[in-house]
Amino acid sequence: MKSALFSTALLAGLPSIYGLPGPAPDCNDITFRVTASAENVLAQNPPVDFTNATEVVAFLTQPTKPNPVRGTFKIYGQFCQSNVPIIGPRARPLQILIPGNSYDHTYYNGFDRLPFPGNTNSWASYALSKGYSTLSLDRLGSGKSDHPDPLNTVQAPLVADTIHQIIQQVRGGGQIPRPGLGERKIILVGHSFGSILGTRISAEHPEDVDAIIHTGFAIPTQDQQALPGQLANVYLQASTYDPVQFPPGPYGPGYLVATSKEGRRNTFYSAPGSFSPPLYDRDFQLKDTLALGEAITQQPLPPSLKYDKPTFVLTGRQDAVFCGNGSRELGTPDCGSGPRSQLATVKLLYPAVPDARFDTYTQENAGHCHQMHYSAQDGFASAHRFLATQGL
């Protein structure tokens, strides 16, 4: 497991990297110990050259068979308690935040150490200002969480079950304080692969959460393939690229990192002028890994036949991952907006969700990492307005 350079107590005394005013938020590091099990797939013959489209496609499309896995893992979380008063004696709602591939929990802090007040690119900061507490997780195989076999252990089915187990611990009152009375409402927020994990959780455990927010997510059309553009990220073995940041022990073969700064930007961001270049510099500096097992288990998306609770989709209009061919260099993507958008198509995964409990918002002038753009506050506001309409 990657060691933490700073404790939360030390961080609380340090200013934000953005020099933002205001006190440090009330946050604590939490390590969950979970025993999880799932039916993964047996993946073989990983590519040697990750820029070779033929090798990569052969790996991703190989015939697979079920591979049951089980293990006990340590999962890192950053819990932040909102100090905004809430109306009535109800328990304060909790947002559980799941980042996507190549990101850790700091994605939701706007790449800051903590969700400082005033960070306009921090989802967690916005949520805390509206009275929600947050639990930002490092997925299995990322950040400060355990790093088991990246090929046949760190796959979507097992990663989703680790999150399910954490939700059960939170429901049971373990480690997370619950000020207020009554049952705590839990909202699952995912970005990209975190949204894919959310579809698995709602399909397999529809009782787990009280609402789901999918961000950086839509249903691609048949002619949209993200792989061509993503190859320009130039993925390499993480421990080969930077053995200091990604030591060979925990980061064995199969943990990959994007090495092209331009390629990564064209995949995850919209046009120049829509985001802060220094913020993207920070993004590239802090980038985390992609596990091969995650790559081979992103599809298919299971329908949530019994989940009937509030569901919201928030995605940047120029999302090249879900609404294009993986890079702005291959054409300007457009997810659309309204009932005919690719965001609205996500409703097909949720047939039991009433129309009144489903909505979408297309964030203008934003790419796949919608919250890292100047228009981030528009997206944050839309999602929290939706929660308010649902009594959350």
Side-chain angles (χ1 to χ4, degrees):
M1 181 166 57
K2 187 191 296 183
S3 61
L5 296 179
F6 302 98
S7 70
T8 302
L10 290 173
L11 290 175
L14 296 174
S16 161
I17 59 171
Y18 300 102
L20 299 170
D26 181 8
C27 298
N28 294 287
D29 291 336
I30 295 178
T31 298
F32 295 91
R33 185 177 178 85
V34 301
T35 297
S37 59
E39 189 173 274
N40 280 359
V41 300
L42 185 62
Q44 303 179 77
N45 303 317
V48 175
D49 179 0
F50 294 97
T51 65
N52 185 309
T54 301
E55 284 190 42
V56 174
V57 169
F59 170 73
L60 294 176
T61 60
Q62 66 178 281
T64 59
K65 60 181 181 180
N67 181 33
V69 293
R70 180 181 177 85
T72 299
F73 310 100
K74 293 179 181 178
I75 305 297
Y76 169 85
Q78 184 180 78
F79 172 70
C80 298
Q81 177 70 51
S82 175
N83 295 316
V84 175
I86 57 176
I87 299 174
R90 66 188 177 96
R92 187 181 298 279
L94 174 69
Q95 294 188 17
I96 297 181
L97 312 178
I98 314 298
N101 295 135
S102 80
Y103 290 104
D104 65 9
H105 71 280
T106 59
Y107 175 83
Y108 287 103
N109 296 345
F111 303 131
D112 221 332
R113 299 177 302 272
L114 295 172
F116 286 93
N119 185 332
T120 57
N121 295 106
S122 168
W123 177 289
S125 298
Y126 191 96
L128 290 166
S129 75
K130 298 301 179 182
Y132 299 88
S133 292
T134 61
L135 174 62
S136 305
L137 297 177
D138 286 347
R139 302 179 328 278
L140 180 67
S142 71
K144 301 176 186 177
S145 294
D146 279 349
H147 288 74
D149 171 26
L151 182 59
N152 284 307
T153 299
V154 186
Q155 294 186 5
L158 185 68
V159 177
D161 196 60
T162 64
I163 298 169
H164 163 66
Q165 299 300 330
I166 289 172
I167 292 171
Q168 295 307 299
Q169 289 190 26
V170 172
R171 289 282 191 200
Q175 302 202 63
I176 303 291
R178 187 180 65 181
L181 302 175
E183 180 183 3
R184 182 198 288 276
K185 299 296 184 180
I186 294 179
I187 300 145
L188 188 66
V189 181
H191 173 253
S192 192
F193 184 64
S195 289
I196 290 174
L197 296 173
T199 67
R200 285 186 170 273
I201 292 168
S202 61
E204 297 171 4
H205 306 285
E207 72 289 347
D208 266 9
V209 299
D210 299 288
I212 290 179
I213 297 178
H214 294 303
T215 73
F217 185 64
I219 304 299
T221 62
Q222 290 186 343
D223 62 342
Q224 292 171 343
Q225 299 290 333
L227 181 61
Q230 290 177 325
L231 290 174
N233 284 228
V234 189
Y235 282 95
L236 298 176
Q237 299 287 355
S239 60
T240 301
Y241 171 72
D242 188 342
V244 175
Q245 184 178 359
F246 307 110
Y251 293 93
Y255 282 107
L256 310 179
V257 67
T259 64
S260 170
K261 189 173 184 179
E262 180 182 6
R264 181 178 170 88
R265 183 182 64 242
N266 287 332
T267 292
F268 288 155
Y269 284 70
S270 187
S274 65
F275 60 91
S276 163
L279 181 65
Y280 177 66
D281 291 342
R282 183 71 170 168
D283 179 335
F284 193 74
Q285 176 190 1
L286 294 178
K287 63 185 179 296
D288 207 274
T289 57
L290 163 69
L292 272 178
E294 294 175 325
I296 202 172
T297 53
Q298 301 207 15
Q299 301 287 341
L301 299 175
S304 298
L305 301 179
K306 296 183 179 180
Y307 176 87
D308 60 358
K309 301 170 189 176
T311 304
F312 189 76
V313 184
L314 163 62
T315 300
R317 181 180 284 276
Q318 292 88 33
D319 189 315
V321 175
F322 285 92
C323 303
N325 291 310
S327 173
R328 285 183 48 79
E329 290 294 291
L330 300 180
T332 302
D334 187 348
C335 292
S337 62
R340 295 181 179 272
S341 69
Q342 290 180 235
L343 287 69
T345 310
V346 174
K347 180 65 169 65
L348 297 174
L349 299 175
Y350 293 96
V353 174
D355 290 345
R357 291 185 174 183
F358 182 90
D359 205 354
T360 68
Y361 182 81
T362 301
Q363 184 178 316
E364 299 296 339
N365 302 310
H368 183 58
C369 293
H370 69 96
Q371 76 173 57
M372 302 309 164
H373 293 71
Y374 291 130
S375 59
Q377 292 285 305
D378 296 338
F380 298 162
S382 71
H384 289 83
R385 281 195 303 268
F386 173 78
L387 292 176
T389 66
Q390 302 298 316
L392 296 169

